Amino acid sequence: MSWAARHHGYLSLDLVYGDGHTAIARQRSRPPLQTFGLQDADCHGSAYLQIVNPCGGLFEGDSTAVEVSLQRGAHLYLTTQAATKVYPSEHGQVTRQHIRLRVASGAILEYFPLPLIPFARALYAQEIEIQVKSGGICLVAEVLAPGRIARGERFAYQMVRSRVEGWMDDRLALFEQLRLQPEQDSYAGVGMLDGQSYVATLYVLTSQDLDPWIRGWNRHLTEQYGECVGVTALAHGGLVVRLLGETGQEILKRLHTAHCLIRQEGLGLPALQIYQPFE
Amino acid sequence: MILTDQALLHLLQITDTAFPTGAFAHSFGLETYVARGAVDTAATLEAFIANTLLHAVAPSDGLACIAAAQAGPDWEGIVQHLDHRLTAMKTVTEFRQASQSLGTRFLRTSTQLFALPCATRYLAAIDAKDLHGHMSLAYGLICHDLALPLPPAMSAWFRHYCACMVSVGVRLIPLGQTAGQMLLARLGATIVTAVERTLGQDIDDMTSFAPGQELAGIIHRDVLTTRLYIS
């Protein structure tokens, strides 16, 4: 059985660059996953695209897959139309999402899905595989909410498991895996969430040397937000930004600030001209 | 596997906090917490050590250590795979460098004391810059070479982590020596839980979740103006 066939919902996108624009060369999808039409994100050839799931969330046992490939020169800012809401699993079946991102040399992919909100009793597993060729750039953000706070749900899910594997050419540059089971453990304490509720991470895989910027970014971010944001260099190129926050708005704003610093100062890209949900 | 008298003596020696690995010079983010005032009592120190042991050290380094200790004839392939994975997993520069420096020094000293065929080959690969060298893999291979039984070996190693962190806390907060020993005694239950959770798990289950500690490690390197510890 093919990779695509193993999942209920499926979205596959191949993007190319030509005539000053990033364009979709091929798109295949199976409901419920769809996209909103590709738009120019700026006048420098980058594009903006939203992944849409009209079901309003992921339900028990759902298995979806997203596969995105960028060819040389293509530049895509990919997001989701709404937060990913994971509904309760009443019969013990895990809800799964699998994401594969492939970035060619000279291409740039920015994958910034809106926060993941695991409802009470949710059982969720996510895998993200990133493959970047030397000279390509991939930025991937993950924001994890504690639950439906307005309903009084905080860390009431059964499990959230997330695995991120990033490769620069043939070298493993990044490996992250977490498995949170709030019924078994508390994550609020010192060394963990430090009393905050939201946690986010921004991964940046690139062969560009960003080390000289990191100390300055950390001083700037700490001055602005306290010790809730930090940037660290990976062993073989690229970096990771860790973020904590008390509200969704707060952490998205911090993530945006870090993203803009890295994008403009570190990667030399023009300012991001995209609506941000905290604005 | 039974813990023989000889194995007990080996274990006591290699997990002694005085064993020259340089572990005493690392706080793994604790110094930032103390500077911030967020760890200022025995209770908050205990929470920091217990949380980081249960959610970062044990499920990542602990599983890597067990895999190395239990590896069969294909141990080199497993260690090579885990060496790269740990390097990619330790995203905080100071923590990654600490793991490599402690691991390499641990191997260098241990191989002078005992006949350690696997550990010696790991050290040779590190010296040749083929591998990075991580403390957990070094300890696992030495347990393998010395035929140390795993449950007590893991208890001893996790206790070593706790003892080092208590020592940092006692000096920085500061706490009295008796308060430090009482805290170490209380951490016994957490150490047992950490060992129970790691034994029987697979390297595919390797996880780590201590964002606060990681942020503290980042701040330690780039923002903290006065530092007594390397990490």
Side-chain angles (χ1 to χ4, degrees), chain A residues 228-251:
Chain A
C228 289
V229 187
V231 187
T232 182
L234 294 169
H236 303 297
L239 52 83
V240 167
V241 187
R242 299 276 183 221
L243 305 103
L244 294 174
E246 189 43 42
T247 66
Q249 299 286 306
E250 190 175 77
I251 204 156

Side-chain angles (χ1 to χ4, degrees), chain A residues 156-278:
Chain A
Y157 49 85
Q158 296 184 68
M159 183 194 73
V160 167
R161 194 176 73 217
S162 171
R163 179 183 173 119
V164 182
E165 210 170 293
W167 294 80
M168 286 293 300
D169 292 322
D170 296 327
R171 175 176 263 182
L172 181 67
L174 169 74
F175 182 88
E176 290 245 296
Q177 187 159 240
L178 61 86
R179 186 175 55 243
L180 304 182
Q181 295 169 291
E183 288 173 349
Q184 179 183 312
D185 289 304
S186 166
Y187 302 103
V190 63
M192 311 290 289
L193 293 173
D194 287 337
Q196 306 277 313
S197 298
Y198 283 73
V199 60
T201 309
L202 171 60
Y203 307 103
V204 181
L205 292 185
T206 172
S207 44
Q208 288 189 33
D209 182 14
L210 299 177
D211 276 11
W213 297 96
I214 290 179
R215 183 161 278 127
W217 287 341
N218 278 325
R219 290 185 177 162
H220 174 80
L221 290 165
T222 306
E223 211 172 280
Q224 198 166 355
Y225 299 121
E227 296 177 0
C228 289
V229 187
V231 187
T232 182
L234 294 169
H236 303 297
L239 52 83
V240 167
V241 187
R242 299 276 183 221
L243 305 103
L244 294 174
E246 189 43 42
T247 66
Q249 299 286 306
E250 190 175 77
I251 204 156
L252 287 172
K253 187 165 188 176
R254 290 171 182 179
L255 176 63
H256 180 66
T257 304
H259 181 199
C260 289
L261 274 177
I262 294 164
R263 208 176 185 276
Q264 287 161 241
E265 289 187 1
L267 301 172
L269 297 171
L272 202 58
Q273 296 169 350
I274 287 166
Y275 164 74
Q276 295 296 329
F278 55 83

Side-chain angles (χ1 to χ4, degrees), chain B residues 33-117:
Chain B
Y33 275 98
V34 175
R36 191 194 298 168
V39 171
D40 56 353
T41 60
T44 46
L45 176 59
E46 182 178 351
F48 177 86
I49 299 171
N51 284 338
T52 53
L53 174 64
L54 284 174
H55 301 294
V57 177
S60 60
D61 283 310
L63 294 194
C65 173
I66 290 170
Q70 290 182 328
D74 60 338
W75 70 271
E76 276 177 298
I78 291 169
V79 166
Q80 189 177 348
H81 172 70
L82 288 172
D83 183 88
H84 291 301
R85 178 180 282 191
L86 285 168
T87 303
M89 203 170 179
K90 292 181 183 294
T91 56
V92 177
T93 308
E94 284 190 344
F95 298 174
R96 183 173 61 244
Q97 289 171 347
S99 175
Q100 292 177 227
S101 140
L102 300 185
T104 308
R105 289 187 66 179
F106 187 53
L107 286 167
R108 225 174 278 293
T109 307
S110 302
T111 49
Q112 292 176 52
L113 308 178
F114 312 110
L116 304 170

Side-chain angles (χ1 to χ4, degrees), chain A residues 45-65:
Chain A
S46 69
Y48 173 87
L49 188 69
Q50 284 184 349
I51 298 173
V52 181
N53 179 352
C55 294
L58 298 172
F59 294 84
E60 179 173 17
D62 277 358
S63 178
T64 59

